[in-house]
Amino acid sequence: EVDAFELSEASFGGSGYDIAVGMLGGDVLYRSPEMWEGYVYSPPFRDRLYFVHLNQKQNSREGIAAYRSKPLSEAIIHQISDLTERLIRCADFVQFQELLVEHEAAISSVIGLPTVKEKYFSDYPYAIKSLGAWGGDFVLACGDENTPQYFKEKGFETVVAYSELIS
């Protein structure tokens, strides 16, 4: 009868998002261990979204520690939360990408690191969003039918279409 969120905080120090997903068994709109709800994300442009593995395992503990060492103003928290809300409601592919770029820029400014697109894929014509610890295991790439080939040519073999992974 251990509270999974308390155990995670005491041992790993993460947000608890993974626990919420495990408890619900599906998509979660997560704000904190006290505020999360089931959510089904299925945008009309889901066939233009891809998950790409970056061939590395980010140390989540280090990523969390680095993030928590940075001061967060209420303004930046509000900005990032607002962008998240707008992203999940967005039905337009072009606007979705603009919001992703703005979200990545906000996180980048907080943690003082370049975006994954700036670091690895500056020539890629669509938006890319880091997932998990910044610059970690996977990214979400917007794109088209040429997207898998682009990443494979760059040496990133694991490119999974959103529609293959999320049912």
Side-chain angles (χ1 to χ4, degrees), residues 52-117:
V52 181
H53 189 261
L54 296 181
N55 301 335
Q56 60 186 346
K57 172 65 179 127
Q58 185 80 345
N59 184 320
S60 295
R61 258 197 198 115
E62 289 175 10
I64 292 164
Y67 169 77
R68 288 189 172 166
S69 73
K70 309 292 182 185
L72 287 177
S73 68
E74 286 297 318
I76 194 71
I77 291 169
H78 177 75
Q79 177 190 8
I80 292 169
S81 295
D82 179 62
L83 285 166
T84 300
E85 294 291 335
R86 291 168 57 200
L87 277 163
I88 63 174
R89 290 190 311 267
C90 186
D92 178 78
F93 185 61
V94 172
Q95 183 183 20
F96 178 79
Q97 290 182 86
E98 291 168 356
L99 292 168
L100 277 184
V101 169
E102 194 175 341
H103 194 281
E104 283 289 272
I107 298 290
S108 177
S109 72
V110 168
I111 64 175
L113 294 174
T115 67
V116 72
K117 183 169 180 176

